Amino acid sequence: MEEYKRLKRELVAKGVIIDYYQDTMLIPNGNVAKWDLIDHKGAAAVVAVRKDGRLLMVRQYRNALERETLEIPAGGLNGREEPTDRAAMRELEEETGYTCDHVELLTSIYTTVAFCNEKIDIYVARDLKPGHQHLDEDEYLNVEAYSLEELKQMVFECKIQDAKTICAIMTYAAKYEGKLSDY
Amino acid sequence: MEEYKRLKRELVAKGVIIDYYQDTMLIPNGNVAKWDLIDHKGAAAVVAVRKDGRLLMVRQYRNALERETLEIPAGGLNGREEPTDRAAMRELEEETGYTCDHVELLTSIYTTVAFCNEKIDIYVARDLKPGHQHLDEDEYLNVEAYSLEELKQMVFECKIQDAKTICAIMTYAAKYEGKLSDY
């Protein structure tokens, strides 16, 4: 593979949950180009499986899409150093009220590699204990539960379009479907 | 669901492939908050299946991750109005050299809904005709081909981490695996 070299990184603007940089890159053909970089601290998400086999989902308004979406519980890290399994358990509890003693890594994704370094570690949580939702001050969401088959169908029909949620549902189905008799 | 209202949208910076806005939002609890919005024109991607059943993948350097990634062929739209099936066929030809007469929509994703409106329509292409790669001036990538089983394993092992690629592989597998005897 040809070598790219970053000559310079300049902060363009500091945002609320992202920062925007422009990188000056030396391209293998000798050209110099400006590339965008959106810096994000990373996030954690969780496929939370109830004892009846249904998965917990959250429905919330997304300003970027100007509509509601159906997603797995997730949230940004409190700093890059926060362990993502802890963050996944915290977000599960905050958004759904359910708690669990541990989670298991399902997969780890980069949401949009062409211009952003956001990484989301996606976990599986089982043996859930119900409790009380305690959302952030500016957060409003509804908790719902669906079977894996219903969720897959919603992906096929483009009714679920959030990338982390599709990665999570489809990877979980490929790994565990047909092996769920205990749940 | 409670109502959020956007009071104002301000352009913070125009980038190369994205623009960065800050939105002033009226939250249902009466608070006013600043939210980031990264505006992206959208993209198209393609699960390209050869007659031997192997899928075409591209390996390229990604500055945001400071390493190479393995992804399905994809590229940004030439303006928001470009039909995404055309864009998928163009990117397939540019990046891999393969052409096809038509593509079929597999699913449609939003890469990172918390702060970005980037949508990627993901297509399936079959009946591929080999030809010559013709990359953009600053683009360098290698074309590889893998079985669906190999690709799924790479997702489980976090060797493939690009979200659109995981969405594509896993949704394609769920929809078509076991129905591939013609290819």
Side-chain angles (χ1 to χ4, degrees), chain B residues 62-177:
Chain B
R62 289 300 197 176
N63 177 51
L65 278 54
E66 301 184 340
R67 63 171 169 83
E68 289 177 11
T69 59
L70 191 64
E71 303 172 33
I72 57 170
L77 303 184
N78 291 334
R80 281 175 212 278
E81 290 71 32
E82 186 183 24
T84 56
D85 58 341
R86 289 280 135 195
M89 291 164 75
R90 180 192 66 228
E91 293 296 333
L92 176 64
E93 183 174 2
E94 286 184 6
E95 295 192 345
T96 73
Y98 283 87
T99 59
C100 61
D101 292 331
H102 74 283
V103 289
E104 180 188 326
L105 187 67
L106 176 65
T107 191
S108 176
I109 70 172
Y110 286 93
T111 53
T112 183
V113 296
F115 63 87
C116 180
N117 61 8
E118 184 192 25
K119 179 171 178 256
I120 307 182
D121 286 345
I122 303 173
Y123 290 89
V124 176
R126 297 194 177 96
D127 298 318
L128 308 176
K129 296 168 202 65
H132 295 289
Q133 203 187 38
H134 39 102
L135 298 170
D136 291 342
E137 189 186 23
D138 290 349
E139 197 172 30
Y140 292 82
L141 53 81
N142 294 329
V143 181
E144 303 177 8
Y146 295 90
S147 72
L148 195 51
E149 201 46 53
E150 287 169 336
L151 293 170
K152 284 170 59 179
Q153 203 54 45
M154 284 191 267
V155 173
F156 294 149
E157 293 170 2
C158 297
K159 289 176 181 168
I160 291 176
Q161 294 197 278
D162 170 52
K164 72 173 175 301
T165 301
I166 298 176
C167 290
I169 290 169
M170 294 321 229
T171 303
Y172 179 80
K175 207 162 170 180
Y176 293 110
E177 207 170 21

Side-chain angles (χ1 to χ4, degrees), chain B residues 43-61:
Chain B
V46 58
V47 176
V49 190
R50 290 199 316 204
K51 289 203 168 48
D52 64 2
R54 293 173 89 80
L55 278 59
L56 297 178
M57 303 288 289
V58 294
R59 190 177 294 278
Q60 64 192 303
Y61 180 78

Side-chain angles (χ1 to χ4, degrees), chain A residues 1 4 6 15-17 20 23 29 31 36 63 66 68 108-110 112 118 137-138 140 142 161 163, chain B residues 1 6 15-17 20 23 29 31 36 63 66 68 108-110 112 118 137-138 140 142 161 163:
Chain A
M1 180 75 43
Y4 291 83
R6 188 164 64 225
V16 183
I17 63 165
Y20 171 35
D23 288 348
N29 62 10
N31 283 357
D36 297 318
N63 177 51
E66 301 183 341
E68 290 177 12
S108 177
I109 71 172
Y110 286 93
T112 184
E118 183 191 25
E137 190 186 21
D138 290 349
Y140 292 82
N142 293 330
Q161 294 197 278
Chain B
M1 180 77 43
R6 187 165 65 225
V16 182
I17 62 166
Y20 171 34
D23 288 348
N29 62 10
N31 283 357
D36 298 317
N63 177 51
E66 301 184 340
E68 289 177 11
S108 176
I109 70 172
Y110 286 93
T112 183
E118 184 192 25
E137 189 186 23
D138 290 349
Y140 292 82
N142 294 329
Q161 294 197 278

